[in-house]
Structures are given as structure tokens and as C-alpha cells.
Amino acid sequence: METELSEFERQMRRDIDSFMDKAQETRRQAATSPPEWPTDSDEETRVKAPRSKPEGAPKTGHRVKLAVRTKQLEMDTEFEHVSSSISKIEAQLEAEKAARKAGYPIIGYVIETSRL
């Protein structure tokens, strides 16, 4: 038991020392080498990645899906609202207000709330 523990400690010490040596070497290279600035040819060959969100979409907030109805004995309809609020509760309240404004007086339940 004692030999296994001491062997484990030695191995961990070697791994830590190796890691620290690599980290110090990386810092030393970054401090001594000049920065590499992009050239004009790099900009021409670089392809822009497609944006996942439209320009006007909020970058933070929640997407709330509600089950809503216009009549008491009607099937539930899914209503989706995107809120810029970081609070989950505020986003749900905003979604309920938006659903009522859109003509759905009966709010059944929250189907899903996801972060943007």
C-alpha cells in the first residue's frame, strides 16, 4: 500500500513538473517572439463563418414556448416568444403578455424555456 502511494505521488510530481515546464516555455516564447499580424492574402482566403442569429436578434435572454388556447375546449397551440430578459420568470411573464396581446386569452402551461 505504501509503495503504491509513493509511486503515485512520484508520478503526479513528474506530471506536474512536466506541465509547468511546458507552460513556462509557452510564456517565454510568447514574450520573446513578435506578434504575427494577418496579411492581405490571409483576409482574402479566410471564409466568414455563417452567423447563427440574425442581426436584430437578442444575444442574451430566453426562448419561451407556451401552450395557449383561444377557447376553453380547444386544443393547445404552441406559442413561442423570444425575450431579452436574463430572468427566467420575467421571460415567462413577457411571453404570457405577448400571447394575450396576440389573441390567446387562455395560457395553459409552459412547454419549454431555453437560454439563447
Side-chain angles (χ1 to χ4, degrees):
M1 178 73 180
E2 185 65 32
T3 58
E4 291 176 10
L5 184 59
S6 60
E7 179 60 34
F8 174 74
E9 289 175 348
R10 280 191 295 252
Q11 181 64 34
M12 290 305 295
R13 178 55 49 200
R14 282 188 294 243
D15 291 344
I16 290 170
D17 291 341
S18 173
F19 175 77
M20 294 303 289
D21 289 342
K22 288 179 185 175
Q24 288 175 354
E25 181 63 30
T26 303
R27 277 193 224 112
R28 198 174 307 120
Q29 285 178 353
T32 58
S33 64
E36 294 181 17
W37 300 102
T39 61
D40 292 335
S41 61
D42 290 343
E43 291 177 14
E44 292 171 0
T45 58
R46 187 175 359 147
V47 178
K48 290 186 177 182
R51 294 184 65 146
S52 60
K53 297 177 186 172
E55 288 287 329
K59 293 179 174 46
T60 60
H62 288 85
R63 175 177 288 117
V64 181
K65 293 182 182 178
L66 300 173
V68 294
R69 289 179 262 166
T70 55
K71 298 178 186 173
Q72 188 69 29
L73 297 175
E74 190 177 59
M75 293 287 292
D76 287 338
T77 305
E78 186 176 294
F79 180 82
E80 185 175 319
H81 177 73
V82 177
S83 172
S84 62
S85 175
I86 60 172
S87 169
K88 200 175 195 181
I89 304 276
E90 277 186 34
Q92 289 177 4
L93 291 173
E94 283 181 24
E96 289 176 8
K97 287 180 186 177
R100 286 192 186 96
K101 190 174 181 181
Y104 296 103
I106 302 170
I107 312 294
Y109 54 91
V110 176
I111 296 172
E112 178 186 8
T113 303
S114 60
R115 293 198 56 156
L116 295 179

